[in-house]
Amino acid sequence: MVTNMESFNLNSAKSYIGKTVNLHLKDGAVIVNVQLKNIKNAELGKTKLLEYIPFGNISRKEIPLRNIAYAKMLNQNIILAQS
């Protein structure tokens, strides 16, 4: 369990755009090895959505920013070297 970590918010999400990360969700789940692409507004309401692309896939997926606890950066060089 992570302690003493700031909550994941819009500013911290912007710093990860274009990078490969593991997304740790507030419910304890982890979305592994995704590249963050964009932050956009939801069609209804004022919710922010984080767009990401899973590794090896071309379709974009979205998750509400409020569902993410934190993101952990991955070293892409290590992943590609093992392939």
Side-chain angles (χ1 to χ4, degrees):
M1 187 74 190
V2 175
T3 58
N4 297 332
M5 193 164 215
E6 295 180 22
S7 64
F8 196 75
N9 58 28
L10 184 59
N11 288 331
S12 58
K14 285 180 183 178
S15 68
Y16 288 109
I17 297 295
K19 299 194 168 93
T20 304
V21 299
N22 286 342
L23 292 176
H24 295 261
L25 307 182
K26 289 182 179 176
D27 66 359
V30 180
I31 304 173
V32 296
N33 203 6
V34 298
Q35 184 177 27
L36 303 184
K37 285 297 187 183
N38 193 16
I39 300 170
K40 66 179 193 175
N41 292 326
E43 292 180 18
L44 298 173
K46 53 186 176 181
T47 303
K48 300 285 186 189
L49 298 174
L50 183 63
E51 286 184 343
Y52 65 91
I53 298 177
F55 182 74
N57 201 337
I58 59 170
S59 63
R60 291 181 185 225
K61 305 206 182 288
E62 300 171 347
I63 188 166
L65 201 58
R66 68 174 179 258
N67 292 355
I68 303 171
Y70 65 97
K72 188 172 182 182
M73 282 233 321
L74 298 176
N75 186 347
Q76 193 67 19
N77 293 331
I78 294 172
I79 295 169
L80 294 176
Q82 294 177 354
S83 306

